Amino acid sequence: MKVYKRLINCIFPILVVAAIFLAWWIAALAINASLILPSPSESLRAFFAYFGEASFWRAIGNTMWRSLYSFVFSFVPAIVFALLANRYRYARKLIDPFIAFIRSVPTMSVILILIIWLNPKIAPAVVAIIVIFPTLYSSFSAAVSSIDAKLVQMSAVYRVSMAERIWKLYLPNMAPGLFEGSASGFSLNIKLVIAAEALAHTTASIGSMMNFSQALLETQDLFALTIAAVILSVVCEWAIRLVGRAVIRWK
Amino acid sequence: MGDTFGRQGGDPMEMKNIRLENIGKNYAKAQVYDHFSLEIEGGKITCLLGESGCGKTTLLNMLASLTPYEGKISNVPPRISYIFQEERLLPNLTVYGNIRYVLGKDADRDKIMDVLEKVELAGKADAYPKELSGGQAQRVSIARAFAYPSELILMDEPFSSLDTGLKIRLIDVFCKLWKEENRTAVFVTHDAEEAYMLSHRAVVLKGGKIAADIAAEGDVPRAYGAPSKYREEIIRALLGQEKA
Ligand SMILES: Nc1ncnc2c1ncn2[C@@H]1O[C@H](COP(=O)(O)OP(=O)(O)OP(=O)(O)O)[C@@H](O)[C@H]1O
Ligand SMILES: [Mg+2]
Protein backbone atom coordinates (compact mmCIF):
# COMPACT_ATOMS: atom_id res chain seq x y z
CA MET A 1 0.00 0.00 0.00
CA LYS A 2 2.77 2.39 0.98
CA VAL A 3 4.89 1.46 -2.04
CA TYR A 4 1.87 1.89 -4.26
CA LYS A 5 1.21 5.38 -2.87
CA ARG A 6 4.82 6.38 -3.31
CA LEU A 7 4.75 5.15 -6.89
CA ILE A 8 1.67 7.23 -7.63
CA ASN A 9 3.37 10.26 -6.08
CA CYS A 10 6.38 9.77 -8.34
CA ILE A 11 4.44 9.06 -11.50
CA PHE A 12 2.69 12.39 -11.81
CA PRO A 13 5.77 14.64 -11.77
CA ILE A 14 7.46 12.26 -14.19
CA LEU A 15 4.46 12.38 -16.53
CA VAL A 16 4.40 16.18 -16.41
CA VAL A 17 8.11 16.44 -17.20
CA ALA A 18 7.72 13.91 -20.00
CA ALA A 19 4.82 15.92 -21.45
CA ILE A 20 6.90 19.10 -21.38
CA PHE A 21 9.77 17.37 -23.18
CA LEU A 22 7.35 15.91 -25.73
CA ALA A 23 5.83 19.33 -26.45
CA TRP A 24 9.30 20.80 -26.72
CA TRP A 25 10.40 18.01 -29.08
CA ILE A 26 7.33 18.50 -31.32
CA ALA A 27 7.84 22.28 -31.39
CA ALA A 28 11.52 21.83 -32.27
CA LEU A 29 10.58 19.47 -35.12
CA ALA A 30 8.02 21.97 -36.40
CA ILE A 31 10.33 24.97 -36.24
CA ASN A 32 13.27 22.99 -37.48
CA ALA A 33 15.88 25.63 -36.68
CA SER A 34 18.16 24.72 -33.80
CA LEU A 35 19.35 28.31 -33.61
CA ILE A 36 15.88 29.30 -32.44
CA LEU A 37 14.73 26.17 -30.67
CA PRO A 38 17.20 23.33 -30.28
CA SER A 39 15.64 19.90 -29.82
CA PRO A 40 15.65 18.23 -26.39
CA SER A 41 18.28 15.76 -27.57
CA GLU A 42 20.64 18.51 -28.77
CA SER A 43 20.16 20.39 -25.52
CA LEU A 44 20.73 17.30 -23.41
CA ARG A 45 23.85 16.50 -25.41
CA ALA A 46 25.13 20.01 -24.73
CA PHE A 47 24.16 19.61 -21.09
CA PHE A 48 26.16 16.42 -20.66
CA ALA A 49 29.05 17.89 -22.62
CA TYR A 50 29.35 20.53 -19.89
CA PHE A 51 30.01 17.79 -17.35
CA GLY A 52 33.55 17.44 -18.63
CA GLU A 53 34.29 21.15 -18.40
CA ALA A 54 35.91 22.49 -15.24
CA SER A 55 34.64 26.01 -15.99
CA PHE A 56 31.05 24.72 -15.82
CA TRP A 57 31.55 23.24 -12.37
CA ARG A 58 33.31 26.37 -11.19
CA ALA A 59 30.37 28.45 -12.43
CA ILE A 60 27.89 26.15 -10.67
CA GLY A 61 29.95 26.39 -7.50
CA ASN A 62 30.14 30.18 -7.61
CA THR A 63 26.46 30.66 -8.38
CA MET A 64 25.39 28.22 -5.68
CA TRP A 65 27.70 29.80 -3.11
CA ARG A 66 26.33 33.24 -3.97
CA SER A 67 22.77 31.97 -3.67
CA LEU A 68 23.54 30.31 -0.38
CA TYR A 69 25.14 33.21 1.44
CA SER A 70 22.68 35.74 0.09
CA PHE A 71 19.89 33.47 1.31
CA VAL A 72 21.39 33.31 4.78
CA PHE A 73 21.57 37.11 4.81
CA SER A 74 17.85 37.26 3.97
CA PHE A 75 16.78 34.41 6.20
CA VAL A 76 18.31 35.51 9.51
CA PRO A 77 17.08 39.13 9.42
CA ALA A 78 13.68 37.97 8.16
CA ILE A 79 13.24 35.78 11.26
CA VAL A 80 14.55 38.46 13.60
CA PHE A 81 12.30 41.14 12.07
CA ALA A 82 9.28 38.84 12.10
CA LEU A 83 9.81 38.06 15.79
CA LEU A 84 10.37 41.72 16.67
CA ALA A 85 7.30 42.85 14.73
CA ASN A 86 5.25 40.23 16.53
CA ARG A 87 6.54 41.18 19.96
CA TYR A 88 6.59 44.98 19.76
CA ARG A 89 3.81 46.95 18.15
CA TYR A 90 6.14 49.87 17.42
CA ALA A 91 8.68 47.65 15.74
CA ARG A 92 5.95 46.51 13.38
CA LYS A 93 5.01 50.13 12.65
CA LEU A 94 8.60 50.78 11.56
CA ILE A 95 9.27 47.51 9.80
CA ASP A 96 6.11 47.21 7.73
CA PRO A 97 6.47 50.45 5.73
CA PHE A 98 10.16 49.72 5.25
CA ILE A 99 9.34 46.30 3.79
CA ALA A 100 6.57 47.79 1.66
CA PHE A 101 9.07 50.29 0.27
CA ILE A 102 11.66 47.64 -0.63
CA ARG A 103 8.97 45.50 -2.16
CA SER A 104 7.69 48.30 -4.37
CA VAL A 105 11.04 48.98 -6.08
CA PRO A 106 11.14 47.16 -9.45
CA THR A 107 13.55 44.24 -9.41
CA MET A 108 15.15 45.38 -12.65
CA SER A 109 15.95 48.81 -11.20
CA VAL A 110 17.56 47.17 -8.20
CA ILE A 111 19.68 44.99 -10.45
CA LEU A 112 20.77 47.81 -12.74
CA ILE A 113 21.51 50.25 -9.93
CA LEU A 114 23.46 47.74 -7.89
CA ILE A 115 25.52 46.75 -10.91
CA ILE A 116 26.64 50.36 -11.13
CA TRP A 117 27.41 50.61 -7.44
CA LEU A 118 28.89 47.25 -6.59
CA ASN A 119 31.42 44.87 -7.98
CA PRO A 120 29.85 42.21 -10.24
CA LYS A 121 30.71 39.40 -7.85
CA ILE A 122 28.75 40.94 -4.99
CA ALA A 123 25.92 42.69 -6.83
CA PRO A 124 23.91 39.52 -7.70
CA ALA A 125 23.92 38.41 -4.06
CA VAL A 126 22.74 41.83 -2.86
CA VAL A 127 20.01 41.87 -5.50
CA ALA A 128 18.80 38.52 -4.25
CA ILE A 129 18.79 39.72 -0.65
CA ILE A 130 16.79 42.83 -1.48
CA VAL A 131 14.17 40.84 -3.34
CA ILE A 132 14.02 37.72 -1.15
CA PHE A 133 14.16 39.35 2.28
CA PRO A 134 10.68 40.96 2.05
CA THR A 135 9.09 37.72 0.80
CA LEU A 136 10.69 35.70 3.57
CA TYR A 137 9.69 38.35 6.11
CA SER A 138 6.05 38.10 5.03
CA SER A 139 5.91 34.35 5.16
CA PHE A 140 7.76 34.24 8.50
CA SER A 141 5.46 36.93 9.91
CA ALA A 142 2.49 34.78 9.02
CA ALA A 143 4.22 31.85 10.69
CA VAL A 144 4.80 33.80 13.93
CA SER A 145 1.26 35.07 14.13
CA SER A 146 -0.06 31.55 13.62
CA ILE A 147 1.46 30.60 16.97
CA ASP A 148 -1.19 29.84 19.56
CA ALA A 149 -1.65 32.91 21.80
CA LYS A 150 -2.67 30.56 24.61
CA LEU A 151 0.78 28.99 24.60
CA VAL A 152 2.32 32.46 24.73
CA GLN A 153 0.12 33.27 27.76
CA MET A 154 1.10 30.01 29.43
CA SER A 155 4.78 30.88 28.92
CA ALA A 156 4.21 34.30 30.44
CA VAL A 157 2.47 32.91 33.55
CA TYR A 158 5.31 30.45 34.13
CA ARG A 159 7.83 33.22 33.48
CA VAL A 160 9.72 31.27 30.85
CA SER A 161 12.81 33.17 29.70
CA MET A 162 12.76 34.87 26.30
CA ALA A 163 15.60 32.69 24.98
CA GLU A 164 13.75 29.56 26.00
CA ARG A 165 10.54 30.84 24.40
CA ILE A 166 12.33 31.55 21.13
CA TRP A 167 14.02 28.14 21.00
CA LYS A 168 11.18 25.99 22.23
CA LEU A 169 7.98 27.87 21.44
CA TYR A 170 8.50 30.28 18.56
CA LEU A 171 11.05 28.63 16.25
CA PRO A 172 9.71 25.06 16.39
CA ASN A 173 6.11 26.15 15.95
CA MET A 174 7.11 28.45 13.12
CA ALA A 175 9.08 25.62 11.52
CA PRO A 176 6.45 24.49 9.01
CA GLY A 177 6.19 28.07 7.72
CA LEU A 178 9.95 28.55 7.88
CA PHE A 179 10.68 25.52 5.74
CA GLU A 180 7.87 26.16 3.30
CA GLY A 181 8.91 29.81 2.86
CA SER A 182 12.56 28.85 2.57
CA ALA A 183 11.94 26.15 -0.01
CA SER A 184 10.15 28.47 -2.43
CA GLY A 185 12.33 31.43 -1.43
CA PHE A 186 15.55 29.59 -2.14
CA SER A 187 14.56 28.54 -5.63
CA LEU A 188 13.52 32.11 -6.43
CA ASN A 189 16.84 33.20 -4.96
CA ILE A 190 18.83 31.04 -7.42
CA LYS A 191 16.88 32.49 -10.35
CA LEU A 192 17.51 36.06 -9.21
CA VAL A 193 21.21 35.47 -8.72
CA ILE A 194 21.47 34.03 -12.22
CA ALA A 195 19.56 36.95 -13.74
CA ALA A 196 21.75 39.49 -11.99
CA GLU A 197 24.91 37.59 -12.92
CA ALA A 198 23.87 37.66 -16.56
CA LEU A 199 23.34 41.41 -16.49
CA ALA A 200 26.43 42.15 -14.41
CA HIS A 201 28.66 39.87 -16.49
CA THR A 202 29.93 38.24 -13.33
CA THR A 203 32.93 36.12 -14.25
CA ALA A 204 32.71 32.34 -13.82
CA SER A 205 28.99 32.19 -13.14
CA ILE A 206 25.98 30.43 -14.62
CA GLY A 207 24.42 33.79 -15.47
CA SER A 208 27.39 35.04 -17.46
CA MET A 209 27.73 31.68 -19.23
CA MET A 210 24.10 32.02 -20.31
CA ASN A 211 24.74 35.54 -21.45
CA PHE A 212 27.78 34.38 -23.38
CA SER A 213 26.00 31.53 -25.17
CA GLN A 214 23.20 33.87 -26.11
CA ALA A 215 25.64 36.36 -27.59
CA LEU A 216 27.32 33.60 -29.59
CA LEU A 217 23.92 32.22 -30.66
CA GLU A 218 24.80 28.86 -29.15
CA THR A 219 21.21 28.26 -28.28
CA GLN A 220 21.64 24.61 -27.32
CA ASP A 221 24.15 25.74 -24.65
CA LEU A 222 21.67 28.28 -23.33
CA PHE A 223 19.11 25.50 -23.03
CA ALA A 224 21.65 23.18 -21.44
CA LEU A 225 22.46 25.82 -18.79
CA THR A 226 18.75 26.33 -18.22
CA ILE A 227 18.34 22.61 -17.58
CA ALA A 228 21.19 22.82 -15.08
CA ALA A 229 19.55 25.78 -13.31
CA VAL A 230 16.18 24.03 -13.17
CA ILE A 231 17.77 20.92 -11.68
CA LEU A 232 19.62 22.99 -9.09
CA SER A 233 16.55 24.83 -7.90
CA VAL A 234 14.33 21.74 -7.89
CA VAL A 235 16.91 19.73 -5.96
CA CYS A 236 17.43 22.52 -3.41
CA GLU A 237 13.72 23.04 -2.91
CA TRP A 238 13.19 19.33 -2.45
CA ALA A 239 16.15 19.05 -0.05
CA ILE A 240 14.82 21.89 2.13
CA ARG A 241 11.39 20.26 2.28
CA LEU A 242 12.98 16.94 3.14
CA VAL A 243 14.99 18.45 6.00
CA GLY A 244 11.80 20.19 7.15
CA ARG A 245 9.90 16.94 7.28
CA ALA A 246 12.72 15.30 9.24
CA VAL A 247 12.88 18.17 11.74
CA ILE A 248 9.12 18.48 12.32
CA ARG A 249 8.62 14.93 13.54
CA TRP A 250 6.16 15.90 16.27
CA LYS A 251 3.41 16.97 13.84
CA MET B 1 4.48 45.65 34.86
CA GLY B 2 4.10 45.21 38.61
CA ASP B 3 2.35 48.54 39.06
CA THR B 4 -0.10 48.20 36.22
CA PHE B 5 -1.59 45.07 37.69
CA GLY B 6 -1.12 45.98 41.34
CA ARG B 7 1.15 43.01 41.85
CA GLN B 8 3.57 42.86 44.78
CA GLY B 9 6.26 40.43 45.73
CA GLY B 10 5.15 38.57 48.84
CA ASP B 11 7.10 36.76 51.49
CA PRO B 12 6.71 33.12 50.51
CA MET B 13 6.87 31.97 54.12
CA GLU B 14 3.97 34.07 55.27
CA MET B 15 1.08 33.70 52.85
CA LYS B 16 -0.87 36.93 52.76
CA ASN B 17 -4.51 37.11 51.84
CA ILE B 18 -5.07 38.13 48.25
CA ARG B 19 -7.49 41.03 48.06
CA LEU B 20 -9.67 41.89 45.10
CA GLU B 21 -11.23 45.31 45.60
CA ASN B 22 -13.85 46.99 43.49
CA ILE B 23 -13.08 44.93 40.45
CA GLY B 24 -14.72 45.89 37.17
CA LYS B 25 -14.29 43.74 34.11
CA ASN B 26 -15.87 44.15 30.69
CA TYR B 27 -15.35 42.29 27.48
CA ALA B 28 -16.42 43.93 24.23
CA LYS B 29 -20.00 42.77 24.63
CA ALA B 30 -20.41 41.52 28.16
CA GLN B 31 -19.95 42.99 31.60
CA VAL B 32 -18.60 40.20 33.77
CA TYR B 33 -17.79 42.02 37.02
CA ASP B 34 -18.87 45.33 38.49
CA HIS B 35 -17.69 46.52 41.92
CA PHE B 36 -16.69 43.00 42.84
CA SER B 37 -14.64 42.34 45.96
CA LEU B 38 -13.26 39.14 47.38
CA GLU B 39 -10.56 38.20 49.83
CA ILE B 40 -8.76 34.94 49.17
CA GLU B 41 -7.17 33.45 52.24
CA GLY B 42 -3.41 32.87 51.99
CA GLY B 43 -2.24 29.27 52.34
CA LYS B 44 -5.78 27.92 52.00
CA ILE B 45 -7.73 26.29 49.18
CA THR B 46 -10.60 28.43 47.95
CA CYS B 47 -13.08 26.89 45.58
CA LEU B 48 -14.99 28.91 42.98
CA LEU B 49 -18.25 27.56 41.66
CA GLY B 50 -20.95 28.94 39.43
CA GLU B 51 -22.78 28.48 36.18
CA SER B 52 -20.93 28.25 32.90
CA GLY B 53 -20.05 31.74 31.70
CA CYS B 54 -20.34 33.41 35.10
CA GLY B 55 -16.71 34.55 35.08
CA LYS B 56 -14.65 31.95 36.93
CA THR B 57 -11.94 31.69 34.29
CA THR B 58 -11.97 35.46 33.97
CA LEU B 59 -11.27 35.77 37.70
CA LEU B 60 -8.29 33.42 37.48
CA ASN B 61 -6.99 35.30 34.44
CA MET B 62 -7.16 38.58 36.34
CA LEU B 63 -5.22 37.01 39.22
CA ALA B 64 -2.59 35.84 36.72
CA SER B 65 -2.48 39.31 35.05
CA LEU B 66 -3.51 37.78 31.75
CA THR B 67 -6.37 40.18 31.17
CA PRO B 68 -6.80 43.86 32.07
CA TYR B 69 -9.37 45.01 34.64
CA GLU B 70 -10.45 47.97 36.70
CA GLY B 71 -9.93 48.10 40.44
CA LYS B 72 -7.22 46.67 42.58
CA ILE B 73 -5.85 43.23 43.24
CA SER B 74 -3.19 43.14 45.92
CA ASN B 75 -0.82 40.63 47.50
CA VAL B 76 -0.62 38.38 44.47
CA PRO B 77 2.59 36.42 45.02
CA PRO B 78 5.26 36.63 42.33
CA ARG B 79 5.21 33.04 41.16
CA ILE B 80 2.00 31.45 39.94
CA SER B 81 1.19 27.95 38.69
CA TYR B 82 -1.85 27.83 36.47
CA ILE B 83 -3.75 24.74 35.37
CA PHE B 84 -5.65 26.23 32.46
CA GLN B 85 -9.07 25.03 31.43
CA GLU B 86 -7.33 23.57 28.33
CA GLU B 87 -4.03 21.70 28.53
CA ARG B 88 -1.86 24.26 26.74
CA LEU B 89 1.04 21.93 26.05
CA LEU B 90 3.69 22.72 23.45
CA PRO B 91 3.06 20.22 20.63
CA ASN B 92 6.76 20.06 19.75
CA LEU B 93 7.93 18.96 23.20
CA THR B 94 7.49 15.64 24.96
CA VAL B 95 5.64 15.32 28.24
CA TYR B 96 8.96 15.58 30.02
CA GLY B 97 10.04 18.50 27.84
CA ASN B 98 6.84 20.39 28.55
CA ILE B 99 7.47 20.29 32.28
CA ARG B 100 11.13 21.12 31.85
CA TYR B 101 10.11 24.10 29.74
CA VAL B 102 8.51 25.95 32.65
CA LEU B 103 11.20 25.01 35.18
CA GLY B 104 14.05 26.66 33.26
CA LYS B 105 17.30 26.60 35.21
CA ASP B 106 15.66 24.81 38.16
CA ALA B 107 14.90 21.76 36.01
CA ASP B 108 15.91 18.61 37.80
CA ARG B 109 15.28 15.23 36.17
CA ASP B 110 14.40 13.45 39.40
CA LYS B 111 11.93 16.10 40.39
CA ILE B 112 10.18 15.97 37.03
CA MET B 113 10.02 12.17 37.02
CA ASP B 114 8.75 12.25 40.57
CA VAL B 115 5.85 14.54 39.75
CA LEU B 116 5.04 12.53 36.61
CA GLU B 117 4.92 9.45 38.80
CA LYS B 118 2.49 11.20 41.10
CA VAL B 119 0.08 11.92 38.26
CA GLU B 120 0.59 8.33 37.04
CA LEU B 121 2.28 9.31 33.80
CA ALA B 122 5.89 8.21 34.30
CA GLY B 123 5.51 5.80 31.38
CA LYS B 124 4.52 8.64 29.06
CA ALA B 125 7.50 10.91 29.75
CA ASP B 126 8.73 10.62 26.16
CA ALA B 127 5.34 10.87 24.46
CA TYR B 128 4.32 13.92 22.44
CA PRO B 129 1.03 15.67 23.30
CA LYS B 130 -0.70 14.36 20.18
CA GLU B 131 -0.12 10.84 21.48
CA LEU B 132 -1.98 11.50 24.74
CA SER B 133 -5.62 11.05 25.63
CA GLY B 134 -7.56 14.07 26.91
CA GLY B 135 -7.21 13.00 30.53
CA GLN B 136 -3.50 12.26 30.14
CA ALA B 137 -2.87 15.68 28.64
CA GLN B 138 -4.78 17.24 31.50
CA ARG B 139 -2.57 15.39 33.96
CA VAL B 140 0.56 16.74 32.26
CA SER B 141 -0.82 20.21 32.78
CA ILE B 142 -1.44 19.33 36.45
CA ALA B 143 2.08 17.92 36.80
CA ARG B 144 3.53 21.07 35.27
CA ALA B 145 1.69 23.25 37.77
CA PHE B 146 2.76 21.06 40.70
CA ALA B 147 6.40 20.91 39.61
CA TYR B 148 6.68 24.66 39.17
CA PRO B 149 7.71 26.30 42.45
CA SER B 150 5.00 28.86 43.13
CA GLU B 151 3.23 30.51 46.01
CA LEU B 152 -0.15 30.58 44.28
CA ILE B 153 -1.74 27.81 42.27
CA LEU B 154 -4.74 28.50 40.04
CA MET B 155 -6.72 25.48 38.90
CA ASP B 156 -9.45 25.76 36.29
CA GLU B 157 -11.50 22.56 36.33
CA PRO B 158 -8.35 20.46 36.62
CA PHE B 159 -10.11 17.13 37.03
CA SER B 160 -12.90 17.61 34.48
CA SER B 161 -11.91 14.76 32.16
CA LEU B 162 -10.69 12.22 34.69
CA ASP B 163 -12.47 9.15 35.99
CA THR B 164 -13.57 9.15 39.61
CA GLY B 165 -10.80 6.85 40.86
CA LEU B 166 -8.05 8.87 39.28
CA LYS B 167 -9.66 12.11 40.40
CA ILE B 168 -9.69 10.96 44.03
CA ARG B 169 -6.07 9.83 43.83
CA LEU B 170 -5.02 13.14 42.32
CA ILE B 171 -6.89 15.07 44.99
CA ASP B 172 -4.85 13.11 47.54
CA VAL B 173 -1.65 13.90 45.66
CA PHE B 174 -2.56 17.54 45.50
CA CYS B 175 -3.25 17.68 49.22
CA LYS B 176 0.10 16.08 50.03
CA LEU B 177 1.95 18.55 47.87
CA TRP B 178 -0.07 21.41 49.20
CA LYS B 179 0.81 20.43 52.78
CA GLU B 180 4.50 20.14 51.96
CA GLU B 181 4.74 23.51 50.28
CA ASN B 182 1.74 25.38 51.61
CA ARG B 183 0.63 27.31 48.56
CA THR B 184 -2.45 29.46 48.26
CA ALA B 185 -4.82 27.70 45.90
CA VAL B 186 -7.84 28.85 43.92
CA PHE B 187 -9.76 25.94 42.53
CA VAL B 188 -12.55 26.22 39.96
CA THR B 189 -14.98 23.37 39.51
CA HIS B 190 -18.55 22.56 38.50
CA ASP B 191 -18.64 19.55 40.74
CA ALA B 192 -19.94 19.89 44.31
CA GLU B 193 -18.20 16.65 45.29
CA GLU B 194 -14.80 17.97 44.16
CA ALA B 195 -15.43 21.25 45.93
CA TYR B 196 -16.35 19.44 49.13
CA MET B 197 -13.32 17.14 49.00
CA LEU B 198 -10.73 19.74 48.17
CA SER B 199 -11.47 23.14 49.64
CA HIS B 200 -11.58 25.13 52.84
CA ARG B 201 -14.09 27.54 51.47
CA ALA B 202 -16.55 27.55 48.58
CA VAL B 203 -17.52 30.77 46.83
CA VAL B 204 -20.47 30.52 44.50
CA LEU B 205 -20.60 33.23 41.84
CA LYS B 206 -23.68 34.43 40.06
CA GLY B 207 -24.12 37.38 37.76
CA GLY B 208 -20.79 38.87 38.80
CA LYS B 209 -21.68 38.75 42.50
CA ILE B 210 -20.99 36.37 45.32
CA ALA B 211 -24.14 34.31 45.68
CA ALA B 212 -22.84 32.21 48.55
CA ASP B 213 -19.69 32.06 50.60
CA ILE B 214 -19.41 28.85 52.58
CA ALA B 215 -16.63 28.04 54.99
CA ALA B 216 -15.74 24.51 55.98
CA GLU B 217 -14.11 23.08 59.01
CA GLY B 218 -11.61 20.28 59.09
CA ASP B 219 -8.81 19.06 56.95
CA VAL B 220 -8.57 18.25 53.24
CA PRO B 221 -8.93 15.86 51.50
CA ARG B 222 -12.32 14.90 52.76
CA ALA B 223 -13.56 11.34 52.28
CA TYR B 224 -15.34 10.75 48.99
CA GLY B 225 -19.08 10.40 49.43
CA ALA B 226 -19.12 10.80 53.21
CA PRO B 227 -22.12 12.72 54.53
CA SER B 228 -21.26 16.37 55.07
CA LYS B 229 -23.02 19.59 55.81
CA TYR B 230 -20.44 21.47 53.73
CA ARG B 231 -21.39 19.57 50.59
CA GLU B 232 -25.10 20.04 51.28
CA GLU B 233 -24.65 23.77 51.59
CA ILE B 234 -22.66 23.92 48.37
CA ILE B 235 -25.33 21.99 46.49
CA ARG B 236 -28.05 24.17 47.93
CA ALA B 237 -26.19 27.30 46.87
CA LEU B 238 -25.65 25.92 43.39
CA LEU B 239 -29.36 25.23 43.11
CA GLY B 240 -30.08 28.75 44.27
CA GLN B 241 -31.93 27.67 47.40
CA GLU B 242 -31.92 29.59 50.64
CA LYS B 243 -30.31 28.18 53.72
CA ALA B 244 -32.60 25.65 55.43
N1 LIG C 1 -11.84 36.75 25.48
C1 LIG C 1 -13.13 37.04 25.65
N2 LIG C 1 -13.73 37.94 24.84
C2 LIG C 1 -15.04 38.25 25.02
N3 LIG C 1 -15.82 37.73 25.95
C3 LIG C 1 -15.29 36.83 26.80
C4 LIG C 1 -13.91 36.42 26.68
N4 LIG C 1 -13.66 35.52 27.64
C5 LIG C 1 -14.81 35.35 28.31
N5 LIG C 1 -15.80 36.13 27.82
C6 LIG C 1 -17.17 36.23 28.34
O1 LIG C 1 -17.09 36.49 29.72
C7 LIG C 1 -17.98 35.70 30.44
C8 LIG C 1 -17.26 34.90 31.50
O2 LIG C 1 -16.41 33.96 30.87
P1 LIG C 1 -15.53 32.93 31.69
O3 LIG C 1 -14.67 32.22 30.71
O4 LIG C 1 -14.85 33.64 32.78
O5 LIG C 1 -16.64 31.94 32.26
P2 LIG C 1 -16.48 30.65 33.17
O6 LIG C 1 -17.18 30.93 34.44
O7 LIG C 1 -15.07 30.26 33.26
O8 LIG C 1 -17.31 29.58 32.34
P3 LIG C 1 -17.06 27.99 32.16
O9 LIG C 1 -17.54 27.35 33.40
O10 LIG C 1 -17.93 27.63 31.00
O11 LIG C 1 -15.62 27.79 31.89
C9 LIG C 1 -18.74 34.85 29.43
O12 LIG C 1 -19.98 35.41 29.22
C10 LIG C 1 -17.93 34.94 28.18
O13 LIG C 1 -18.77 34.97 27.07
MG1 LIG D 1 -14.00 28.68 32.52
Side-chain angles (χ1 to χ4, degrees), chain A residues 148-151 153-161 164-170 172-173 249-251, chain B residues 64 66 78-84 86 88-93 100-102 104 128 130 144-145 148:
Chain A
D148 189 352
K150 295 190 162 179
L151 294 179
Q153 274 192 341
M154 183 276 290
S155 309
V157 169
Y158 285 106
R159 307 207 296 187
V160 176
S161 71
E164 193 90 336
R165 282 187 220 186
I166 287 177
W167 281 114
K168 292 187 173 167
L169 172 61
Y170 285 99
N173 289 288
R249 259 170 313 155
W250 43 268
K251 265 256 164 177
Chain B
L66 290 179
R79 288 179 305 180
I80 300 173
S81 292
Y82 194 162
I83 303 170
F84 296 91
E86 327 79 29
R88 304 204 188 185
L89 303 177
L90 303 193
N92 51 306
L93 298 180
R100 223 200 109 92
Y101 177 69
V102 301
Y128 284 94
K130 68 158 188 197
R144 177 173 65 190
Y148 183 72

Side-chain angles (χ1 to χ4, degrees), chain A residues 27-56:
Chain A
L29 273 184
I31 292 170
N32 195 20
S34 67
L35 205 64
I36 295 168
L37 183 62
S39 72
S41 60
E42 281 174 293
S43 306
L44 283 174
R45 221 174 301 129
F47 174 66
F48 288 114
Y50 271 129
F51 278 39
E53 287 181 29
S55 63
F56 171 73

Side-chain angles (χ1 to χ4, degrees), chain A residues 196-214:
Chain A
E197 283 171 349
L199 287 166
H201 300 282
T202 310
T203 48
S205 71
I206 298 284
S208 69
M209 282 177 79
M210 284 184 174
N211 196 8
F212 207 55
S213 48
Q214 193 238 15

Side-chain angles (χ1 to χ4, degrees), chain B residues 188-214:
Chain B
V188 168
T189 180
H190 282 289
D191 184 40
E193 189 63 30
E194 282 178 20
Y196 142 80
M197 287 180 76
L198 185 62
S199 68
H200 298 103
R201 174 187 175 203
V203 175
V204 179
L205 300 172
K206 188 167 188 185
K209 297 268 178 289
I210 297 174
D213 190 343
I214 307 156

